[in-house]
């Protein structure tokens, strides 16, 4: 305590130091602030409870059984998707796809790219790999680079997005979607702000 009293006294103008009266009971000692290193150690000790992408893949949580799935099991998902896509695109019964020259075409095409495709029935109408052309099925997994389609023969097939052009039918409307526009994770694609011009869906 004495060093502290001397320190406080030295802060006072010399000819007033004789009047300084320090009451020990009125002095509160504060603990020193923790260093950044101490804080970082504390943060590291509380490990995140969520799995990393590497752990997610190691546990096999991003894979689907190839043979155990049935096409009929995916049909309810497809019905849910049909309701979702109509709401997402603001479609009503009898609506037509906007033409390229119409004012609402660009916004419509951007919203089409942002669609969540889980449950959509897609068909490969063109591909650099000719063996993929004609493949069709309900999309049960959408990753950054691949769509996994469950066909009517109950086979699960992986189709690369960037290599293919997909056809999608909704009621009396038919869409053609270039896979190169879909090469992003669906969660990121749904909120991505598209600034560049989108190629026409013809």
């Amino acid at each position: 305590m004495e060093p502290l009293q001397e320190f406080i006294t030295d802060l006072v103008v010399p000819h007033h130091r004789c009047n300084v009266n320090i009451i020990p009971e009125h002095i509160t000692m504060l603990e020193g602030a923790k260093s950044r290193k101490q804080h970082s150690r504390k943060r590291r000790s509380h490990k995140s409870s969520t799995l990393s992408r590497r752990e997610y893949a190691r546990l096999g949580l991003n894979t689907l059984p190839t043979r155990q799935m049935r096409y009929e099991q995916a049909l309810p998902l497809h019905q849910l998707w049909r309701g979702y896509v109509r709401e997402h695109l603001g479609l009503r019964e009898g609506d037509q796809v906007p033409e390229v020259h119409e004012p609402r075409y660009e916004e419509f095409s951007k919203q089409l790219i942002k669609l969540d495709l889980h449950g959509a029935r897609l068909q490969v109408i063109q591909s650099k790999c000719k063996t993929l052309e004609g493949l069709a099925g309900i999309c049960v997994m959408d990753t950054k680079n691949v769509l996994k389609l469950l066909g009517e023969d109950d086979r699960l097939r992986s189709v690369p997005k960037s290599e293919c052009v997909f056809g999608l039918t909704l009621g009396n409307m038919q869409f053609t979607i270039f896979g190169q526009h879909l090469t992003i994770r669906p969660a990121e694609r749904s909120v991505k702000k598209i600034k560049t011009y989108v190629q026409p869906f013809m």
Side-chain angles (χ1 to χ4, degrees):
M1 186 64 69
E2 289 184 3
L4 179 61
Q5 292 177 346
E6 291 178 4
F7 174 75
I8 295 174
T9 303
D10 289 341
L11 297 176
V12 180
V13 180
H15 62 273
H16 285 299
R17 289 178 182 174
C18 60
N19 299 324
V20 174
N21 182 22
I22 299 175
I23 303 174
E25 290 78 10
H26 292 176
I27 297 176
T28 303
M29 300 296 291
L30 300 177
E31 294 184 3
K34 292 184 179 179
S35 65
R36 290 185 178 180
K37 184 179 287 188
Q38 289 173 316
H39 281 295
S40 63
R41 284 177 183 170
K42 188 174 182 181
R43 281 196 295 269
R44 282 198 297 268
S45 64
H46 296 288
K47 189 176 180 181
S48 175
S49 58
T50 58
L51 295 175
S52 66
R53 286 180 180 170
R54 184 173 296 178
E55 293 170 331
Y56 199 83
R58 189 175 67 248
L59 293 171
L61 299 178
N62 56 352
T63 59
L64 291 172
T66 307
R67 292 287 184 179
Q68 286 80 0
M69 300 183 70
R70 296 288 178 264
Y71 183 79
E72 291 76 13
Q73 295 173 335
L75 288 175
L77 177 63
H78 177 59
Q79 293 301 322
L80 287 172
W81 181 84
R82 289 171 64 90
Y84 151 76
V85 71
R86 288 186 179 279
E87 182 178 345
H88 179 78
L89 297 177
L91 297 174
R92 297 180 181 177
E93 203 66 40
D95 281 355
Q96 299 292 327
V97 179
E99 300 290 339
V100 178
H101 60 271
E102 293 184 27
R104 70 188 187 99
Y105 169 80
E106 186 173 354
E107 182 61 29
F108 185 87
S109 59
K110 288 179 180 179
Q111 292 302 318
L112 190 59
I113 290 175
K114 293 182 178 184
L115 277 179
D116 187 331
L117 296 175
H118 291 94
R121 192 179 190 284
L122 300 169
Q123 181 176 4
V124 180
I125 58 177
Q126 186 178 344
S127 175
K128 293 180 181 179
C129 180
K130 297 302 179 182
T131 58
L132 294 176
E133 291 184 358
L135 290 181
I138 295 174
C139 177
V140 292
M141 180 174 281
D142 181 1
T143 66
K144 181 178 180 180
N145 297 309
V146 171
L147 290 174
K148 294 198 174 185
L149 305 182
L150 182 61
E152 293 184 7
D153 58 354
D154 299 330
R155 289 189 62 185
L156 186 66
R157 297 177 175 89
S158 296
V159 181
K161 293 179 179 178
S162 60
E163 305 294 319
C164 300
V165 179
F166 299 93
L168 186 154
T169 302
L170 183 65
N172 62 336
M173 294 174 286
Q174 293 185 340
F175 305 99
T176 300
I177 304 178
F178 295 93
Q180 61 185 352
H181 293 310
L182 304 175
T183 51
I184 186 172
R185 293 182 180 85
E188 298 171 4
R189 190 172 69 234
S190 63
V191 296
K192 182 178 176 63
K193 185 175 182 180
I194 303 173
K195 298 180 181 178
T196 55
Y197 177 71
V198 178
Q199 294 183 21
F201 294 104
M202 296 181 290

